[in-house]
Amino acid sequence: MPSPTLEPFQPEHLRANLRPLAAAVRPLSTEEQAYQRYYGLDLSVQRAGSHSQLGCFEQGDLRIVTQLWRPAQPRATLIMLHGYYDHMGLYRHLIDWALGMNFAVLACDLPGHGLSAGPRASIDDFSTYQQTLLGLLDQASQLALPQPWHLCGQSTGGGILVDYLLTGTPRPELGTTALLAPLVRPRAWGLSQLSYYLLRPFKSAIPRRFSENSSDREFLDFIQHRDPLQPRTLPTAWVGALARWIPRIERAPRSKLRPLIVQGEADMTIDWQHNLRVLQDKFDQPTILRLPTARHHLVNENEEIRNRYFAFLTEHFQ
Protein backbone atom coordinates (compact mmCIF):
# COMPACT_ATOMS: atom_id res chain seq x y z
CA MET A 1 0.00 0.00 0.00
CA PRO A 2 1.19 3.55 -0.66
CA SER A 3 3.01 5.73 1.81
CA PRO A 4 0.68 7.97 3.88
CA THR A 5 2.82 10.93 2.72
CA LEU A 6 1.76 10.54 -0.92
CA GLU A 7 -0.76 13.10 -2.10
CA PRO A 8 -4.01 11.51 -3.36
CA PHE A 9 -4.75 11.91 -7.05
CA GLN A 10 -7.99 13.48 -8.32
CA PRO A 11 -10.26 10.64 -9.56
CA GLU A 12 -12.80 12.82 -11.39
CA HIS A 13 -10.13 14.77 -13.24
CA LEU A 14 -8.34 11.57 -14.20
CA ARG A 15 -11.55 9.94 -15.50
CA ALA A 16 -12.42 12.97 -17.63
CA ASN A 17 -9.10 12.97 -19.47
CA LEU A 18 -8.68 9.30 -20.36
CA ARG A 19 -8.46 8.20 -23.99
CA PRO A 20 -9.21 4.80 -25.60
CA LEU A 21 -6.56 2.33 -24.46
CA ALA A 22 -5.38 1.54 -27.99
CA ALA A 23 -4.73 5.25 -28.53
CA ALA A 24 -2.94 5.66 -25.21
CA VAL A 25 0.54 4.59 -26.36
CA ARG A 26 2.24 7.70 -25.04
CA PRO A 27 3.96 8.76 -21.83
CA LEU A 28 1.57 8.78 -18.88
CA SER A 29 0.20 12.19 -17.96
CA THR A 30 1.08 13.79 -14.63
CA GLU A 31 -2.34 12.76 -13.25
CA GLU A 32 -1.94 9.18 -14.50
CA GLN A 33 1.51 8.96 -12.94
CA ALA A 34 0.11 10.26 -9.62
CA TYR A 35 -2.59 7.55 -9.70
CA GLN A 36 -0.05 4.80 -10.37
CA ARG A 37 2.30 6.05 -7.65
CA TYR A 38 -0.53 6.26 -5.13
CA TYR A 39 -1.38 2.57 -5.56
CA GLY A 40 2.13 1.31 -6.25
CA LEU A 41 1.24 0.48 -9.85
CA ASP A 42 4.26 2.28 -11.34
CA LEU A 43 5.84 -1.15 -11.76
CA SER A 44 7.10 -0.53 -15.31
CA VAL A 45 9.46 2.14 -13.92
CA GLN A 46 11.28 -0.67 -12.10
CA ARG A 47 11.68 -2.88 -15.19
CA ALA A 48 13.89 -1.82 -18.09
CA GLY A 49 12.14 -1.80 -21.46
CA SER A 50 8.63 -2.19 -20.04
CA HIS A 51 5.83 0.35 -20.22
CA SER A 52 2.26 0.87 -19.05
CA GLN A 53 -0.85 2.37 -20.59
CA LEU A 54 -3.98 3.74 -18.93
CA GLY A 55 -7.10 4.29 -21.01
CA CYS A 56 -10.67 3.12 -21.47
CA PHE A 57 -13.18 1.44 -23.74
CA GLU A 58 -16.88 2.05 -24.18
CA GLN A 59 -19.41 -0.56 -23.06
CA GLY A 60 -22.82 0.73 -24.11
CA ASP A 61 -23.19 3.99 -22.21
CA LEU A 62 -20.46 3.07 -19.70
CA ARG A 63 -16.81 4.04 -19.88
CA ILE A 64 -14.66 1.16 -18.59
CA VAL A 65 -11.21 2.22 -17.44
CA THR A 66 -8.48 -0.18 -18.53
CA GLN A 67 -4.80 -0.60 -17.84
CA LEU A 68 -1.95 -2.48 -19.52
CA TRP A 69 1.53 -3.30 -18.27
CA ARG A 70 3.81 -4.70 -20.96
CA PRO A 71 7.36 -6.06 -20.54
CA ALA A 72 9.87 -5.55 -23.34
CA GLN A 73 9.30 -9.04 -24.80
CA PRO A 74 6.28 -10.67 -23.12
CA ARG A 75 5.73 -14.38 -23.68
CA ALA A 76 2.02 -14.44 -22.75
CA THR A 77 -0.72 -12.23 -21.28
CA LEU A 78 -2.56 -12.29 -17.95
CA ILE A 79 -6.08 -10.85 -18.09
CA MET A 80 -7.14 -9.93 -14.58
CA LEU A 81 -10.52 -9.28 -12.92
CA HIS A 82 -10.85 -7.82 -9.43
CA GLY A 83 -13.38 -8.55 -6.70
CA TYR A 84 -16.45 -6.72 -5.42
CA TYR A 85 -15.64 -3.30 -3.90
CA ASP A 86 -12.13 -3.59 -5.37
CA HIS A 87 -10.38 -1.92 -8.30
CA MET A 88 -7.12 -2.30 -10.24
CA GLY A 89 -5.21 -0.16 -7.75
CA LEU A 90 -5.31 -2.91 -5.12
CA TYR A 91 -3.69 -5.62 -7.27
CA ARG A 92 -0.04 -4.63 -7.47
CA HIS A 93 1.19 -7.90 -5.88
CA LEU A 94 -0.52 -9.98 -8.56
CA ILE A 95 0.59 -7.64 -11.35
CA ASP A 96 4.19 -7.68 -10.11
CA TRP A 97 4.16 -11.50 -10.00
CA ALA A 98 2.84 -11.65 -13.57
CA LEU A 99 5.44 -9.20 -14.84
CA GLY A 100 8.07 -11.37 -13.15
CA MET A 101 6.69 -14.25 -15.23
CA ASN A 102 7.25 -12.04 -18.30
CA PHE A 103 3.51 -11.73 -18.94
CA ALA A 104 1.80 -8.64 -20.21
CA VAL A 105 -1.03 -7.73 -17.81
CA LEU A 106 -4.39 -6.35 -18.95
CA ALA A 107 -7.00 -5.33 -16.38
CA CYS A 108 -10.01 -3.05 -15.94
CA ASP A 109 -12.15 -1.60 -13.20
CA LEU A 110 -15.54 -3.33 -13.33
CA PRO A 111 -18.66 -1.17 -13.86
CA GLY A 112 -19.39 0.87 -10.75
CA HIS A 113 -15.90 0.26 -9.34
CA GLY A 114 -12.71 2.25 -9.20
CA LEU A 115 -12.41 4.68 -12.10
CA SER A 116 -15.06 3.05 -14.31
CA ALA A 117 -18.50 4.55 -14.81
CA GLY A 118 -21.76 3.24 -13.36
CA PRO A 119 -23.63 3.41 -10.05
CA ARG A 120 -21.13 2.71 -7.27
CA ALA A 121 -20.78 -1.01 -6.50
CA SER A 122 -24.10 -1.75 -8.18
CA ILE A 123 -25.30 -3.65 -11.20
CA ASP A 124 -28.73 -4.58 -12.55
CA ASP A 125 -27.69 -7.97 -13.89
CA PHE A 126 -24.48 -10.02 -13.84
CA SER A 127 -24.64 -10.25 -17.63
CA THR A 128 -23.14 -6.74 -17.60
CA TYR A 129 -19.99 -8.24 -16.09
CA GLN A 130 -19.85 -10.74 -18.97
CA GLN A 131 -20.05 -7.86 -21.44
CA THR A 132 -17.16 -6.20 -19.61
CA LEU A 133 -15.05 -9.35 -19.84
CA LEU A 134 -15.83 -9.69 -23.55
CA GLY A 135 -14.85 -6.04 -24.01
CA LEU A 136 -11.57 -6.66 -22.21
CA LEU A 137 -10.84 -9.67 -24.44
CA ASP A 138 -11.57 -7.49 -27.48
CA GLN A 139 -9.02 -5.01 -26.14
CA ALA A 140 -6.44 -7.82 -25.94
CA SER A 141 -7.18 -8.62 -29.59
CA GLN A 142 -6.97 -4.99 -30.75
CA LEU A 143 -3.65 -4.57 -28.94
CA ALA A 144 -2.34 -7.86 -30.40
CA LEU A 145 -1.27 -9.03 -26.95
CA PRO A 146 0.86 -12.18 -26.94
CA GLN A 147 -0.87 -15.53 -26.60
CA PRO A 148 -1.85 -17.51 -24.70
CA TRP A 149 -4.15 -15.21 -22.77
CA HIS A 150 -4.27 -16.51 -19.22
CA LEU A 151 -7.15 -15.48 -16.94
CA CYS A 152 -7.11 -14.68 -13.24
CA GLY A 153 -9.98 -13.47 -11.07
CA GLN A 154 -10.33 -12.78 -7.34
CA SER A 155 -13.71 -13.38 -5.63
CA THR A 156 -16.42 -11.79 -7.83
CA GLY A 157 -13.81 -11.57 -10.59
CA GLY A 158 -13.38 -15.33 -10.25
CA GLY A 159 -17.15 -15.78 -10.37
CA ILE A 160 -17.26 -13.80 -13.62
CA LEU A 161 -14.65 -16.14 -15.09
CA VAL A 162 -16.57 -19.21 -13.86
CA ASP A 163 -19.68 -17.86 -15.61
CA TYR A 164 -17.71 -17.28 -18.82
CA LEU A 165 -16.14 -20.75 -18.83
CA LEU A 166 -19.41 -22.56 -18.04
CA THR A 167 -21.97 -20.60 -20.08
CA GLY A 168 -20.00 -18.58 -22.62
CA THR A 169 -17.89 -19.47 -25.64
CA PRO A 170 -14.28 -19.32 -24.43
CA ARG A 171 -11.94 -17.89 -27.04
CA PRO A 172 -9.25 -20.11 -28.62
CA GLU A 173 -6.50 -17.74 -27.47
CA LEU A 174 -7.11 -18.62 -23.82
CA GLY A 175 -4.57 -20.49 -21.72
CA THR A 176 -4.80 -21.28 -18.01
CA THR A 177 -7.46 -19.86 -15.69
CA ALA A 178 -6.71 -19.15 -12.02
CA LEU A 179 -9.56 -18.54 -9.59
CA LEU A 180 -8.65 -16.90 -6.27
CA ALA A 181 -11.36 -17.43 -3.62
CA PRO A 182 -13.98 -17.50 -6.41
CA LEU A 183 -17.53 -16.41 -5.67
CA VAL A 184 -20.44 -18.80 -6.07
CA ARG A 185 -22.35 -18.16 -2.85
CA PRO A 186 -21.40 -15.70 -0.12
CA ARG A 187 -21.27 -16.86 3.48
CA ALA A 188 -24.64 -17.03 5.29
CA TRP A 189 -26.42 -16.64 1.96
CA GLY A 190 -29.82 -17.69 3.30
CA LEU A 191 -29.82 -14.91 5.88
CA SER A 192 -28.55 -12.41 3.30
CA GLN A 193 -31.43 -13.29 0.98
CA LEU A 194 -33.98 -12.84 3.76
CA SER A 195 -32.50 -9.44 4.64
CA TYR A 196 -32.59 -8.43 0.98
CA TYR A 197 -36.28 -9.22 0.55
CA LEU A 198 -37.15 -7.42 3.78
CA LEU A 199 -35.11 -4.31 2.96
CA ARG A 200 -35.70 -4.02 -0.78
CA PRO A 201 -39.05 -2.14 -0.54
CA PHE A 202 -37.57 0.46 1.81
CA LYS A 203 -33.86 0.93 1.03
CA SER A 204 -31.79 1.17 -2.13
CA ALA A 205 -28.56 0.67 -0.17
CA ILE A 206 -27.24 -0.06 3.30
CA PRO A 207 -23.96 1.14 4.85
CA ARG A 208 -21.01 -1.06 4.04
CA ARG A 209 -19.41 -3.03 6.84
CA PHE A 210 -15.65 -3.38 6.38
CA SER A 211 -14.61 -6.91 7.29
CA GLU A 212 -11.24 -8.32 8.31
CA ASN A 213 -10.80 -10.21 5.05
CA SER A 214 -6.98 -10.23 5.17
CA SER A 215 -4.31 -10.68 7.83
CA ASP A 216 -2.42 -7.70 6.37
CA ARG A 217 -3.33 -4.93 8.83
CA GLU A 218 -1.87 -2.18 6.65
CA PHE A 219 -4.10 -3.22 3.75
CA LEU A 220 -7.21 -3.23 5.94
CA ASP A 221 -6.40 0.24 7.26
CA PHE A 222 -5.74 1.55 3.77
CA ILE A 223 -9.02 0.46 2.20
CA GLN A 224 -11.03 1.76 5.13
CA HIS A 225 -9.29 5.11 5.66
CA ARG A 226 -7.04 6.08 2.73
CA ASP A 227 -8.48 4.69 -0.49
CA PRO A 228 -10.53 7.35 -2.33
CA LEU A 229 -12.03 4.71 -4.67
CA GLN A 230 -13.71 2.57 -1.99
CA PRO A 231 -17.54 2.37 -2.14
CA ARG A 232 -19.25 3.01 1.19
CA THR A 233 -22.60 1.28 0.66
CA LEU A 234 -24.00 -2.10 -0.36
CA PRO A 235 -26.72 -1.48 -2.98
CA THR A 236 -29.69 -3.82 -2.72
CA ALA A 237 -29.81 -3.96 -6.54
CA TRP A 238 -26.44 -5.77 -6.53
CA VAL A 239 -27.69 -8.32 -3.99
CA GLY A 240 -30.75 -8.92 -6.18
CA ALA A 241 -28.55 -9.44 -9.23
CA LEU A 242 -26.45 -11.91 -7.23
CA ALA A 243 -29.59 -13.78 -6.15
CA ARG A 244 -30.53 -14.29 -9.81
CA TRP A 245 -26.97 -15.23 -10.82
CA ILE A 246 -26.26 -17.96 -8.25
CA PRO A 247 -28.91 -20.43 -9.55
CA ARG A 248 -27.63 -19.81 -13.09
CA ILE A 249 -24.15 -20.98 -12.10
CA GLU A 250 -25.34 -23.88 -9.95
CA ARG A 251 -27.51 -25.17 -12.84
CA ALA A 252 -24.87 -24.62 -15.54
CA PRO A 253 -23.71 -27.62 -17.59
CA ARG A 254 -20.40 -29.30 -16.78
CA SER A 255 -17.22 -28.22 -18.53
CA LYS A 256 -14.14 -30.20 -19.54
CA LEU A 257 -11.91 -27.29 -18.55
CA ARG A 258 -9.55 -27.58 -15.58
CA PRO A 259 -9.00 -24.25 -13.84
CA LEU A 260 -6.65 -23.65 -10.93
CA ILE A 261 -8.38 -22.72 -7.66
CA VAL A 262 -6.75 -21.13 -4.61
CA GLN A 263 -8.92 -21.03 -1.51
CA GLY A 264 -8.28 -19.89 2.05
CA GLU A 265 -9.85 -21.98 4.79
CA ALA A 266 -10.16 -18.95 7.11
CA ASP A 267 -12.33 -17.19 4.52
CA MET A 268 -15.37 -15.67 6.26
CA THR A 269 -16.70 -13.83 3.17
CA ILE A 270 -17.83 -16.66 0.92
CA ASP A 271 -19.28 -20.12 1.62
CA TRP A 272 -16.06 -21.70 0.42
CA GLN A 273 -16.88 -25.32 1.29
CA HIS A 274 -20.10 -25.17 -0.75
CA ASN A 275 -18.36 -23.28 -3.53
CA LEU A 276 -15.56 -25.82 -3.88
CA ARG A 277 -18.13 -28.65 -4.11
CA VAL A 278 -19.94 -26.79 -6.89
CA LEU A 279 -16.73 -26.06 -8.80
CA GLN A 280 -15.46 -29.61 -8.46
CA ASP A 281 -18.77 -30.78 -9.91
CA LYS A 282 -18.79 -28.22 -12.75
CA PHE A 283 -15.18 -28.62 -13.92
CA ASP A 284 -13.11 -31.68 -14.82
CA GLN A 285 -10.81 -32.24 -11.84
CA PRO A 286 -9.75 -28.64 -11.13
CA THR A 287 -6.41 -28.30 -9.38
CA ILE A 288 -7.04 -26.87 -5.91
CA LEU A 289 -4.65 -25.30 -3.41
CA ARG A 290 -6.19 -24.89 0.06
CA LEU A 291 -4.47 -22.52 2.49
CA PRO A 292 -5.47 -23.18 6.14
CA THR A 293 -4.79 -19.67 7.51
CA ALA A 294 -5.67 -17.54 4.48
CA ARG A 295 -8.66 -15.24 4.58
CA HIS A 296 -10.71 -14.00 1.62
CA HIS A 297 -8.67 -11.24 -0.01
CA LEU A 298 -5.89 -13.50 -1.25
CA VAL A 299 -4.34 -10.86 -3.50
CA ASN A 300 -3.66 -8.80 -0.37
CA GLU A 301 -2.94 -11.49 2.17
CA ASN A 302 0.34 -11.43 4.10
CA GLU A 303 3.60 -12.10 2.29
CA GLU A 304 3.99 -15.68 3.51
CA ILE A 305 0.58 -16.68 2.15
CA ARG A 306 1.17 -14.81 -1.12
CA ASN A 307 4.49 -16.61 -1.60
CA ARG A 308 2.78 -19.98 -1.15
CA TYR A 309 0.11 -19.46 -3.78
CA PHE A 310 2.43 -17.59 -6.18
CA ALA A 311 4.73 -20.64 -6.10
CA PHE A 312 1.70 -22.80 -6.92
CA LEU A 313 0.68 -20.50 -9.79
CA THR A 314 4.23 -20.29 -11.11
CA GLU A 315 4.45 -24.08 -11.27
CA HIS A 316 1.21 -24.40 -13.23
CA PHE A 317 1.70 -21.39 -15.52
CA GLN A 318 5.21 -22.41 -16.65
Side-chain angles (χ1 to χ4, degrees):
M1 291 302 102
S3 165
T5 60
L6 277 177
E7 287 295 322
F9 63 100
Q10 300 299 320
E12 294 302 328
H13 186 265
L14 178 57
R15 286 188 188 102
N17 289 281
L18 290 176
R19 303 170 61 195
L21 187 65
V25 185
R26 54 172 174 74
L28 295 176
S29 70
T30 301
E31 192 76 50
E32 291 166 351
Q33 291 178 52
Y35 159 78
Q36 284 202 343
R37 282 196 305 270
Y38 192 74
Y39 290 107
L41 298 180
D42 50 345
L43 299 165
S44 59
V45 175
Q46 305 166 24
R47 299 176 183 273
S50 65
H51 73 277
S52 63
Q53 297 165 228
L54 180 62
C56 59
F57 66 87
E58 303 298 324
Q59 177 185 320
D61 59 354
L62 296 178
R63 171 172 285 192
I64 304 300
V65 177
T66 315
Q67 205 158 174
L68 170 68
W69 295 263
R70 187 164 188 160
Q73 294 182 314
R75 63 185 178 93
T77 300
L78 183 73
I79 295 174
M80 185 186 80
L81 293 180
H82 64 73
Y84 187 59
Y85 286 139
D86 286 351
H87 55 87
M88 293 181 289
L90 304 179
Y91 281 62
R92 66 182 177 90
H93 297 306
L94 180 58
I95 297 162
D96 194 42
W97 167 80
L99 292 174
M101 294 287 289
N102 205 26
F103 295 162
V105 181
L106 181 66
C108 72
D109 286 342
L110 292 171
H113 290 75
L115 295 169
S116 288
R120 293 297 86 188
S122 192
I123 203 125
D124 290 330
D125 192 272
F126 267 52
S127 61
T128 302
Y129 288 149
Q130 290 303 303
Q131 293 304 311
T132 304
L133 174 57
L134 294 178
L136 197 57
L137 294 171
D138 285 343
Q139 292 292 302
S141 180
Q142 291 178 35
L143 293 162
L145 295 183
Q147 301 173 20
W149 298 345
H150 302 305
L151 303 176
C152 184
Q154 158 86 35
S155 191
T156 296
I160 295 167
L161 295 180
V162 168
D163 194 349
Y164 176 66
L165 297 179
L166 292 179
T167 70
T169 306
R171 295 181 62 137
E173 300 95 334
L174 298 186
T176 300
T177 297
L179 307 171
L180 308 180
L183 173 68
V184 178
R185 287 190 188 188
R187 185 169 175 265
W189 177 232
L191 181 60
S192 298
Q193 281 185 295
L194 176 61
S195 299
Y196 163 69
Y197 287 113
L198 291 174
L199 288 172
R200 182 178 58 173
F202 310 105
K203 290 184 177 289
S204 60
I206 59 175
R208 175 184 177 182
R209 181 179 64 85
F210 285 85
S211 62
E212 294 196 359
N213 59 3
S214 165
S215 56
D216 185 333
R217 306 303 304 180
E218 184 182 357
F219 167 71
L220 296 177
D221 179 75
F222 175 76
I223 60 171
Q224 188 164 357
H225 301 294
R226 291 183 284 130
D227 185 359
L229 297 179
Q230 283 297 310
R232 299 285 163 171
T233 63
L234 171 62
T236 53
W238 191 87
V239 180
L242 177 64
R244 294 188 296 275
W245 178 79
I246 290 172
R248 166 186 167 89
I249 296 304
E250 294 182 344
R251 291 196 298 259
R254 286 178 53 86
S255 168
K256 295 181 180 180
L257 297 173
R258 295 182 173 182
L260 307 175
I261 302 173
V262 182
Q263 178 60 58
E265 295 181 347
D267 189 333
M268 301 295 285
T269 301
I270 59 173
D271 187 350
W272 64 266
Q273 297 97 330
H274 170 84
N275 295 354
L276 284 185
R277 289 193 295 270
V278 170
L279 296 173
Q280 287 175 300
D281 178 64
K282 296 301 178 185
F283 292 108
D284 183 15
Q285 298 180 338
T287 303
I288 301 172
L289 173 66
R290 290 170 56 161
L291 301 170
T293 62
R295 302 183 194 181
H296 182 64
H297 210 298
L298 291 171
V299 171
N300 283 288
E301 258 294 0
N302 66 56
E303 185 176 6
E304 179 185 357
I305 290 172
R306 294 199 310 269
N307 287 342
R308 286 191 62 190
Y309 71 72
F310 280 143
F312 169 79
L313 295 179
T314 297
E315 176 186 353
H316 290 280
F317 274 89
Q318 290 287 12

